């Protein structure tokens, strides 16, 4: 999963990936100045996941389907 970030001048962003039952399968920090961040979900089961990126001023969540 490649995550593209368009935020400038923001401290490190937090990224969390949850599976469909709400379990956290990945959590990490995206360093300031990073615009593309790669998450390996290759070991996860096929299904729907929720990717949430949180900054000090905003939170964005997107649904991802792993096939």
């Amino acid at each position: 999963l490649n995550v593209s970030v368009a935020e400038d001048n923001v401290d490190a962003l937090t990224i969390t990936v949850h599976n469909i039952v709400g379990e956290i399968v990945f959590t990490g920090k995206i360093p300031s100045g990073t615009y593309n961040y790669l998450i390996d979900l290759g070991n996860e089961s096929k299904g729907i996941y929720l990717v949430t990126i949180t900054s000090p001023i905003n939170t964005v969540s997107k649904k991802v389907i792993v096939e």
Side-chain angles (χ1 to χ4, degrees), residues 13-66:
L13 303 172
T14 302
I15 187 164
T16 308
V17 181
H18 292 86
N19 63 18
I20 194 70
V21 295
E23 299 169 329
I24 296 174
V25 298
F26 177 85
T27 188
K29 296 252 185 215
I30 301 175
S32 181
T34 302
Y35 296 101
N36 289 301
Y37 190 77
L38 186 62
I39 300 171
D40 183 8
L41 295 179
N43 292 330
E44 299 301 326
S45 301
K46 294 179 182 178
I48 299 172
Y49 292 84
L50 185 66
V51 178
T52 303
I53 300 174
T54 305
S55 76
I57 58 173
N58 197 12
T59 298
V60 176
S61 295
K62 296 290 182 181
K63 179 174 61 171
V64 175
I65 300 173
V66 174

